[in-house]
Amino acid sequence: MSLDVLTRKSLSLFDAVGGWRTVVESVVSRVVFLVASLLTGRVWTAALIAVGAVAVLGVVRVWTDRRPWPAAIGLAIVGGSALLAGTTGQAIDFYLPAVVIQAVQGAVFLLSMLVRWPVAGLVVGAVRRERFGRRHDPAARRRYQLCTAVFVVKCAIATAVLMPLYVAGQTTALGIAATLLGGAPSAGACLYLCWRILREDSPIA
């Protein structure tokens, strides 16, 4: 399969799970909550504003592409974060799910490497419609292991930064770090590295 075909299929899969709108909603919710919290000093108010912003984006999404489930999932995630922060009365708890997600993701990716079923291989296998992602191809397996390792490192760094900030109660710093390390910027960098690794002409010993 050529790189162009793989890229098109990867973009199709990315679009199927929400595409860039899902990425935007994730960033917007965290940024809007942080700004609203700093301006109002009220957790519930900031939480409702964040949920409202994502709800508006969700309505636009449903209106334009007629696919309600990605919008519903995004709204549910933000709603859960907002409910947690509103219930505890602590603005910092809005970002607790991001901290937990990074730690859990890192553990899952690492475990998949240890059992030799790297997540990257499963994902690429699904994109290429190849059963088990060419698991028995040594060269491909090394590339999938390396791609999965990229996300393990990313999650480890994110957890190492986010967890101390949460424990220390540094809401502003955590909000910024969660947006950068637990959101689109770091994920985009990882996906780019994986794209480079998985190129058919990429020599990996």
Side-chain angles (χ1 to χ4, degrees), residues 20-29 32 49-65 67-68 70-72 74-75 78:
W20 290 109
R21 292 185 180 184
T22 297
V23 174
V24 170
E25 288 171 6
S26 172
V27 173
V28 166
S29 65
V32 168
I49 292 175
V51 171
V54 174
V56 170
L57 293 175
V59 170
V60 172
R61 174 189 294 212
V62 173
W63 181 264
T64 55
D65 63 15
R67 291 186 301 173
L75 185 59
V78 176

Side-chain angles (χ1 to χ4, degrees), residues 8-156:
R8 288 197 299 271
K9 287 182 175 290
S10 300
L11 290 174
S12 297
L13 180 62
F14 178 63
D15 183 63
V17 297
W20 290 109
R21 292 185 180 184
T22 297
V23 174
V24 170
E25 288 171 6
S26 172
V27 173
V28 166
S29 65
R30 293 171 181 174
V31 172
V32 168
F33 177 84
L34 180 60
V35 173
S37 178
L38 292 174
L39 291 178
T40 66
R42 297 178 179 275
V43 177
W44 268 119
T45 300
L48 292 175
I49 292 175
V51 171
V54 174
V56 170
L57 293 175
V59 170
V60 172
R61 174 189 294 212
V62 173
W63 181 264
T64 55
D65 63 15
R66 308 297 180 183
R67 291 186 301 173
W69 71 267
I73 292 175
L75 185 59
I77 293 174
V78 176
S81 298
L83 181 61
L84 178 61
T87 301
T88 63
Q90 301 295 321
I92 199 167
D93 284 334
F94 184 86
Y95 300 102
L96 179 57
V99 179
V100 174
I101 287 172
Q102 292 305 307
V104 172
Q105 279 184 344
V108 170
F109 276 69
L110 179 59
L111 179 61
S112 75
M113 292 180 64
L114 295 176
V115 299
R116 299 184 179 276
W117 284 84
V119 171
L122 299 177
V123 172
V124 173
V127 172
R128 288 175 165 173
R129 296 181 180 178
E130 296 174 351
R131 191 176 183 185
F132 303 136
R134 294 169 64 188
R135 183 172 181 267
H136 300 295
D137 181 340
R141 188 168 62 247
R142 285 194 292 270
R143 287 194 287 269
Y144 298 148
Q145 287 277 48
L146 185 54
C147 286
T148 304
V150 168
F151 280 92
V152 171
V153 172
K154 176 257 188 188
C155 291

